[in-house]
Amino acid sequence: MSAPKPLVFFALAFVSMPFLMAQTVSSRLIDAKTQKGIPYATVQYGENQGVITNEEGRFSFMLEKDSLALDSVYISSLGYEKIGFTLEQLQDSVITVRPKNIELSGVYLFDKELDVDEIMRKVKERLLQNTNDQPVKQRYFLRQSIFGNIHKVDLGFEKSSIEELDKELIDSIAGVIPRNSYHYTEALGDFYKNKGKYKANVIRAAELYDKKDIGSFEDLGERMEAMFKQNVKKDSYLKIKSGLFSQKLQVDSILSDIEAEEAKELERELGKDTVSGLVDGQKRIFKELLGEVYYAEDSKLNVIDKSRKYRFTLDGYADIDDSGVYVIGFEPKGSADFRGKLYVNIEDFAIMQIDFVNLKNLRNFRLLGIYYRETVYKGTMRFTKLSNNKYELKFVDFSFGRWFRFDRPLDVIEKNKNVKGRRKQNELRLNIDFRMANTNKWELVVYNNTLIDSGQFESLQEDKSVKATYMPAYNPEFWEGYTIMEPNQAIREFTAEEE
C-alpha cells in the first residue's frame, strides 16, 4: 500500500539580476523532521540541466536570460517526495521536505515478481549491455579534498659529521611541521573518454591550501631537501640512503658532474609518479575514480564480481530519475569487505546507484620498517541512462583513507665533485619515525553526458597550459557566473595563516 503523501512546504531565495539578465538561484534543502541538510539531492531546472546539493544540502545555479521563462524546477532525493515549483514561487532561503518511506509492496506492478537472487542474476547477465562503451563527453565539476593528520614526527638525530646539519637544525625541521593539513582543488571542465583513453579540457580551477602544510611523506622529504640544500657547501651534493629507498638530490646545479649512472638513477627517481600540470592531474583523478567503479576489472568494490561472498536482501522499492528501482541491501557472508545498498532499475536491471562502506581495513602492509593500511573506503556512485540506453557516471562521493608509518634509519652522505674516488666527505645519520593518516575525498558532478564519435575524440587538442588559481582563503567571487557544487562550511571558512 502506498504511503500517504507528506505535507511539504518550501521556499527559496534568489539573487535577482537586472531584468532579462542572468539570475543566480541559491538555497538549502533540509529534512523537516531533523532540520539537517539533505546531501546530494538532484535539482533539475531544465532539460538535461541540473545540479547536486552538497553534503550540507546547499545548492546554487545560474539561469541565463533565455532560461528565465522555464516552467518548473524539480528537486528529488532518495527517500523524499519529488518537488516541482516555478521561479515565481521562490521566496525564502530554505526548502523543507518530509521523508517518504521506501515502499515495500503494492506500488509497482510486475509481470513476474522476482526474488533477490533472480534480480542479482539479471544484474550480472546484463552488466555489459548496460555499461556504456561508446565515446562520451562529460561536462563536470570535480572537488578533491585532502585531509592529513600527522600523528608523530621523530627525526631521531644520532650523529653528524656535516657541520651544517646538526641536531639543532634537525630538531627545527620537526618542530615547524604542522600536524594537520587541508588541501582543496576544484575544477570545472569537459572530460572525454574513448576506450580507455582520456582527454580533458579544464575551463576553470582553483586550489585552496596553506603552503606550509605537509600532506605526505614526500612533502616531508621535500621540506628536508630544501633545508639541506641551504646548509651544505656549494660544491657538494647529497646522497640520501634509507635501505629500501635511495634517491639523489642535486645541490647547486651540479647534476652534469655526477657519474652517468647516478644521473640516470636520479632522473628515474624524480620522474616517478609525477603529474605534469593541471590537465594531467584531472585525468589521473578520473582514472582513479573509474578504476573504483563496481564493474571495473581491478575495483576493490567487487560486490557484483564476487557476489557469492555477499548476502543480498530485497529491502523495498524507490524512485531515481523517474525510474522505479529495487532497493537491495548487501553485507558480507564471511570475508568480504563491504556493506551497503544497490538501487537496481526495475525495467533493465542496471545499477543506478550504489552506496558502500568498508567494514575492515582493505589492505595491511608491513616490510622493513614501512607500514601501510587502507582504512577508509566509502561513498556513493550514481549512474544515468544515455541516449543509447547505456549508463554512465552522473555523480560520485568517494572517500579513501590511508595510514602509514616510516620507521627506518636514514643516512645522508655529503659528496664533493672535486674529490676523486668515492667522493664521500661527511655523513648524517637519523632514525626516522613518521606516522600519518590521510583521507582523499572526491566529489564529482557530471552535468551532462554527450555521446561523440572517435573522430571527435582524436581531433581534440588539450590545452595543458591552463593552471589552477591559488587561493589562501575562500573567495566566493571566483565561481561567480558558473554552476558548481556549493562549497561546504569548512571550505567557506578556510584561511591559510600568513607566512
PDB file of all heavy atoms in Angstrom, residues 9 17 21 52 98 110 114 218 291 331 368 386 424 427 431 455 477:
ATOM      1  N   PHE A   9       6.308  22.052   2.549  1.00  0.00           N
ATOM      2  CA  PHE A   9       6.333  23.473   2.230  1.00  0.00           C
ATOM      3  C   PHE A   9       7.762  23.825   1.892  1.00  0.00           C
ATOM      4  O   PHE A   9       8.697  23.224   2.394  1.00  0.00           O
ATOM      5  CB  PHE A   9       5.794  24.330   3.389  1.00  0.00           C
ATOM      6  CG  PHE A   9       6.803  24.652   4.451  1.00  0.00           C
ATOM      7  CD1 PHE A   9       7.591  25.783   4.358  1.00  0.00           C
ATOM      8  CD2 PHE A   9       6.955  23.804   5.533  1.00  0.00           C
ATOM      9  CE1 PHE A   9       8.525  26.060   5.337  1.00  0.00           C
ATOM     10  CE2 PHE A   9       7.877  24.086   6.505  1.00  0.00           C
ATOM     11  CZ  PHE A   9       8.662  25.216   6.421  1.00  0.00           C
ATOM     12  N   MET A  17      19.130  39.580 -10.871  1.00  0.00           N
ATOM     13  CA  MET A  17      19.930  40.437 -11.730  1.00  0.00           C
ATOM     14  C   MET A  17      18.984  41.397 -12.438  1.00  0.00           C
ATOM     15  O   MET A  17      17.766  41.272 -12.345  1.00  0.00           O
ATOM     16  CB  MET A  17      20.698  39.582 -12.748  1.00  0.00           C
ATOM     17  CG  MET A  17      21.669  38.619 -12.094  1.00  0.00           C
ATOM     18  SD  MET A  17      22.989  39.492 -11.250  1.00  0.00           S
ATOM     19  CE  MET A  17      23.953  38.113 -10.640  1.00  0.00           C
ATOM     20  N   MET A  21      18.434  39.700 -17.558  1.00  0.00           N
ATOM     21  CA  MET A  21      19.828  39.303 -17.441  1.00  0.00           C
ATOM     22  C   MET A  21      19.895  37.961 -16.711  1.00  0.00           C
ATOM     23  O   MET A  21      18.881  37.428 -16.255  1.00  0.00           O
ATOM     24  CB  MET A  21      20.617  40.375 -16.683  1.00  0.00           C
ATOM     25  CG  MET A  21      20.669  41.721 -17.390  1.00  0.00           C
ATOM     26  SD  MET A  21      21.513  41.637 -18.997  1.00  0.00           S
ATOM     27  CE  MET A  21      23.203  41.438 -18.428  1.00  0.00           C
ATOM     28  N   ILE A  52      23.696  19.240  -8.116  1.00  0.00           N
ATOM     29  CA  ILE A  52      23.584  18.347  -6.976  1.00  0.00           C
ATOM     30  C   ILE A  52      23.827  19.161  -5.714  1.00  0.00           C
ATOM     31  O   ILE A  52      24.748  19.985  -5.664  1.00  0.00           O
ATOM     32  CB  ILE A  52      24.617  17.203  -7.067  1.00  0.00           C
ATOM     33  CG1 ILE A  52      24.460  16.420  -8.374  1.00  0.00           C
ATOM     34  CG2 ILE A  52      24.513  16.277  -5.872  1.00  0.00           C
ATOM     35  CD1 ILE A  52      23.221  15.597  -8.476  1.00  0.00           C
ATOM     36  N   ARG A  98       9.629  16.538   3.827  1.00  0.00           N
ATOM     37  CA  ARG A  98       9.431  15.449   4.781  1.00  0.00           C
ATOM     38  C   ARG A  98       9.832  14.125   4.143  1.00  0.00           C
ATOM     39  O   ARG A  98       9.634  13.913   2.943  1.00  0.00           O
ATOM     40  CB  ARG A  98       7.970  15.389   5.237  1.00  0.00           C
ATOM     41  CG  ARG A  98       7.544  16.624   6.015  1.00  0.00           C
ATOM     42  CD  ARG A  98       6.133  16.482   6.538  1.00  0.00           C
ATOM     43  NE  ARG A  98       5.719  17.706   7.222  1.00  0.00           N
ATOM     44  CZ  ARG A  98       6.021  17.987   8.480  1.00  0.00           C
ATOM     45  NH1 ARG A  98       6.735  17.125   9.192  1.00  0.00           N
ATOM     46  NH2 ARG A  98       5.620  19.121   9.016  1.00  0.00           N
ATOM     47  N   PHE A 110       4.396  -5.942 -11.681  1.00  0.00           N
ATOM     48  CA  PHE A 110       5.374  -6.769 -12.374  1.00  0.00           C
ATOM     49  C   PHE A 110       4.656  -7.884 -13.123  1.00  0.00           C
ATOM     50  O   PHE A 110       3.629  -8.394 -12.665  1.00  0.00           O
ATOM     51  CB  PHE A 110       6.355  -7.402 -11.377  1.00  0.00           C
ATOM     52  CG  PHE A 110       6.999  -6.429 -10.434  1.00  0.00           C
ATOM     53  CD1 PHE A 110       6.480  -6.232  -9.161  1.00  0.00           C
ATOM     54  CD2 PHE A 110       8.116  -5.710 -10.818  1.00  0.00           C
ATOM     55  CE1 PHE A 110       7.064  -5.343  -8.291  1.00  0.00           C
ATOM     56  CE2 PHE A 110       8.709  -4.816  -9.950  1.00  0.00           C
ATOM     57  CZ  PHE A 110       8.194  -4.627  -8.688  1.00  0.00           C
ATOM     58  N   LEU A 114      10.112 -11.007  -8.786  1.00  0.00           N
ATOM     59  CA  LEU A 114      11.368 -11.723  -8.668  1.00  0.00           C
ATOM     60  C   LEU A 114      11.879 -11.686  -7.243  1.00  0.00           C
ATOM     61  O   LEU A 114      11.702 -10.684  -6.538  1.00  0.00           O
ATOM     62  CB  LEU A 114      12.415 -11.113  -9.598  1.00  0.00           C
ATOM     63  CG  LEU A 114      12.047 -11.014 -11.083  1.00  0.00           C
ATOM     64  CD1 LEU A 114      13.155 -10.291 -11.849  1.00  0.00           C
ATOM     65  CD2 LEU A 114      11.793 -12.391 -11.675  1.00  0.00           C
ATOM     66  N   GLU A 218      56.299  12.425   1.096  1.00  0.00           N
ATOM     67  CA  GLU A 218      57.030  13.104   0.030  1.00  0.00           C
ATOM     68  C   GLU A 218      57.188  14.588   0.342  1.00  0.00           C
ATOM     69  O   GLU A 218      58.234  15.190   0.088  1.00  0.00           O
ATOM     70  CB  GLU A 218      56.318  12.920  -1.307  1.00  0.00           C
ATOM     71  CG  GLU A 218      56.396  11.505  -1.881  1.00  0.00           C
ATOM     72  CD  GLU A 218      55.461  10.527  -1.176  1.00  0.00           C
ATOM     73  OE1 GLU A 218      54.592  10.993  -0.395  1.00  0.00           O
ATOM     74  OE2 GLU A 218      55.613   9.310  -1.380  1.00  0.00           O
ATOM     75  N   GLY A 291      38.519   3.537 -12.020  1.00  0.00           N
ATOM     76  CA  GLY A 291      39.065   2.242 -11.605  1.00  0.00           C
ATOM     77  C   GLY A 291      38.391   1.685 -10.373  1.00  0.00           C
ATOM     78  O   GLY A 291      38.550   0.507 -10.056  1.00  0.00           O
ATOM     79  N   GLU A 331      25.637  -7.347   2.490  1.00  0.00           N
ATOM     80  CA  GLU A 331      26.602  -7.427   3.580  1.00  0.00           C
ATOM     81  C   GLU A 331      27.420  -8.696   3.396  1.00  0.00           C
ATOM     82  O   GLU A 331      26.997  -9.622   2.676  1.00  0.00           O
ATOM     83  CB  GLU A 331      25.904  -7.433   4.939  1.00  0.00           C
ATOM     84  CG  GLU A 331      24.973  -8.588   5.149  1.00  0.00           C
ATOM     85  CD  GLU A 331      24.276  -8.547   6.496  1.00  0.00           C
ATOM     86  OE1 GLU A 331      24.304  -7.497   7.149  1.00  0.00           O
ATOM     87  OE2 GLU A 331      23.710  -9.588   6.892  1.00  0.00           O
ATOM     88  N   LEU A 368      60.125  -4.092   6.243  1.00  0.00           N
ATOM     89  CA  LEU A 368      61.366  -3.365   6.502  1.00  0.00           C
ATOM     90  C   LEU A 368      61.125  -1.940   7.005  1.00  0.00           C
ATOM     91  O   LEU A 368      61.704  -0.968   6.526  1.00  0.00           O
ATOM     92  CB  LEU A 368      62.231  -3.334   5.233  1.00  0.00           C
ATOM     93  CG  LEU A 368      62.639  -4.693   4.653  1.00  0.00           C
ATOM     94  CD1 LEU A 368      63.399  -4.512   3.355  1.00  0.00           C
ATOM     95  CD2 LEU A 368      63.456  -5.484   5.663  1.00  0.00           C
ATOM     96  N   LEU A 386      21.990   7.010 -20.928  1.00  0.00           N
ATOM     97  CA  LEU A 386      22.285   7.859 -22.080  1.00  0.00           C
ATOM     98  C   LEU A 386      21.272   7.606 -23.196  1.00  0.00           C
ATOM     99  O   LEU A 386      20.397   6.750 -23.085  1.00  0.00           O
ATOM    100  CB  LEU A 386      23.708   7.570 -22.585  1.00  0.00           C
ATOM    101  CG  LEU A 386      24.843   7.664 -21.573  1.00  0.00           C
ATOM    102  CD1 LEU A 386      26.179   7.436 -22.265  1.00  0.00           C
ATOM    103  CD2 LEU A 386      24.840   9.001 -20.861  1.00  0.00           C
ATOM    104  N   LYS A 424      83.168  10.542  -0.914  1.00  0.00           N
ATOM    105  CA  LYS A 424      82.491  10.696   0.367  1.00  0.00           C
ATOM    106  C   LYS A 424      83.273  11.652   1.254  1.00  0.00           C
ATOM    107  O   LYS A 424      84.474  11.518   1.424  1.00  0.00           O
ATOM    108  CB  LYS A 424      82.324   9.340   1.048  1.00  0.00           C
ATOM    109  CG  LYS A 424      81.689   9.433   2.443  1.00  0.00           C
ATOM    110  CD  LYS A 424      81.489   8.054   3.042  1.00  0.00           C
ATOM    111  CE  LYS A 424      80.921   8.174   4.446  1.00  0.00           C
ATOM    112  NZ  LYS A 424      80.704   6.843   5.064  1.00  0.00           N
ATOM    113  N   GLU A 427      78.922  12.557   6.851  1.00  0.00           N
ATOM    114  CA  GLU A 427      77.706  11.754   6.928  1.00  0.00           C
ATOM    115  C   GLU A 427      76.831  12.220   8.092  1.00  0.00           C
ATOM    116  O   GLU A 427      77.320  12.610   9.150  1.00  0.00           O
ATOM    117  CB  GLU A 427      78.070  10.281   7.114  1.00  0.00           C
ATOM    118  CG  GLU A 427      76.882   9.337   7.139  1.00  0.00           C
ATOM    119  CD  GLU A 427      77.313   7.880   7.208  1.00  0.00           C
ATOM    120  OE1 GLU A 427      78.528   7.619   7.246  1.00  0.00           O
ATOM    121  OE2 GLU A 427      76.420   7.010   7.226  1.00  0.00           O
ATOM    122  N   ASN A 431      67.262   8.373  12.567  1.00  0.00           N
ATOM    123  CA  ASN A 431      66.414   7.191  12.696  1.00  0.00           C
ATOM    124  C   ASN A 431      64.967   7.686  12.732  1.00  0.00           C
ATOM    125  O   ASN A 431      64.416   7.982  13.786  1.00  0.00           O
ATOM    126  CB  ASN A 431      66.752   6.414  13.959  1.00  0.00           C
ATOM    127  CG  ASN A 431      66.125   5.027  13.951  1.00  0.00           C
ATOM    128  OD1 ASN A 431      65.437   4.658  13.004  1.00  0.00           O
ATOM    129  ND2 ASN A 431      66.348   4.273  15.006  1.00  0.00           N
ATOM    130  N   GLY A 455      36.302  10.146 -34.006  1.00  0.00           N
ATOM    131  CA  GLY A 455      36.964  11.246 -34.700  1.00  0.00           C
ATOM    132  C   GLY A 455      36.974  12.516 -33.876  1.00  0.00           C
ATOM    133  O   GLY A 455      37.985  13.238 -33.826  1.00  0.00           O
ATOM    134  N   GLU A 477      33.653  34.958  -5.035  1.00  0.00           N
ATOM    135  CA  GLU A 477      33.514  35.592  -6.343  1.00  0.00           C
ATOM    136  C   GLU A 477      34.207  34.797  -7.450  1.00  0.00           C
ATOM    137  O   GLU A 477      33.940  35.035  -8.636  1.00  0.00           O
ATOM    138  CB  GLU A 477      34.097  37.011  -6.297  1.00  0.00           C
ATOM    139  CG  GLU A 477      33.340  37.949  -5.355  1.00  0.00           C
ATOM    140  CD  GLU A 477      33.948  39.334  -5.318  1.00  0.00           C
ATOM    141  OE1 GLU A 477      34.978  39.544  -5.998  1.00  0.00           O
ATOM    142  OE2 GLU A 477      33.410  40.205  -4.610  1.00  0.00           O
TER     143      GLU A 477
END
